[in-house]
């Protein structure tokens, strides 16, 4: 069993082919791996882009419009909801990346490839894989792509954004606010 890479730069699993050798009455055939497990990676990248854009937007708001941010009560609450949503989505994306990796491992495991060859289904056939794939770098990618780290960072950030909301501040009466000369919060 020898793998021959697809000439294009597209590395989708279902476009990768390998050769089933000729044996006895069967002739040599080109087979393809099965499955398209690109959705978790695409979701991860899309989330990364949106998180970057939101981070830049929030940074501009925090730096240039901080006074307005603290005056308008709804803005920190919306910020908290968006930040919490991103924290949840990072957890989902990291989990999906790990699941996608497991699916790729199962689809490329030698036993899966051998079971898809009609030649190996014959009674007197003896099929064995020449090389067992090395998944070490793929395993590291789950941690290294910082999916779970991003979840932790966004969850911690949600705590700091929560501290900016009216929900975390003690309620003050209008009389106490008037005594201190504070302006009423804008709705």
């Amino acid at each position: 069993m020898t793998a021959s890479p697809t000439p294009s730069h597209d590395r989708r699993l279902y476009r990768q082919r390998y050769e089933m050798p000729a044996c006895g009455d069967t002739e040599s055939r080109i087979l393809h791996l099965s499955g398209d497990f690109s959705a978790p990676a695409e979701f991860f990248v899309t989330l990364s882009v949106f998180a970057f854009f939101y981070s830049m937007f929030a940074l501009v708001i925090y730096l240039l419009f901080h006074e307005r941010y603290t005056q308008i009560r709804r803005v920190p609450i919306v910020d908290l909801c968006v930040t919490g949503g991103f924290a949840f989505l990072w957890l989902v994306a990291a989990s999906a990346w790990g699941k996608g990796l497991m699916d790729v491992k199962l689809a490329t495991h030698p036993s899966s490839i051998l079971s898809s060859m009609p030649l190996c289904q014959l009674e007197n056939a003896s099929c064995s894989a020449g090389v067992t794939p090395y998944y070490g770098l793929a395993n590291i990618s789950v941690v290294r792509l910082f999916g779970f780290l991003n979840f932790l960072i966004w969850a911690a950030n949600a705590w700091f954004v929560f501290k900016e909301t009216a929900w975390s501040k003690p309620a003050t009466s209008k009389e106490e606010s008037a005594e201190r000369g504070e302006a009423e919060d804008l709705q």
Side-chain angles (χ1 to χ4, degrees), residues 44 97 101 135-147:
F44 195 95
W97 183 271
L101 175 61
Y135 297 111
L137 293 176
N139 291 334
I140 291 172
S141 74
V142 173
V143 176
R144 206 168 134 196
L145 286 176
F146 302 113

Side-chain angles (χ1 to χ4, degrees), residues 5-9 17:
T6 306
S8 73
H9 293 290
R17 58 187 188 181

Side-chain angles (χ1 to χ4, degrees), residues 40-58 82 86 89-90 93 145 150 154:
E42 291 169 353
F43 176 64
F44 195 95
V45 170
T46 303
L47 179 62
S48 300
V49 170
F50 283 125
F52 174 76
F53 286 145
Y54 182 73
S55 297
M56 292 300 106
F57 173 75
V82 172
F86 270 112
L89 288 175
W90 275 115
L145 286 176
N150 273 318
W154 281 83

Side-chain angles (χ1 to χ4, degrees), residues 20-29 117-122 124-125:
M20 181 183 79
C23 182
D25 295 340
T26 62
E27 58 187 47
S28 176
R29 291 180 21 193
M117 292 182 172
L119 172 67
C120 295
Q121 304 303 320
L122 300 174
N124 57 355

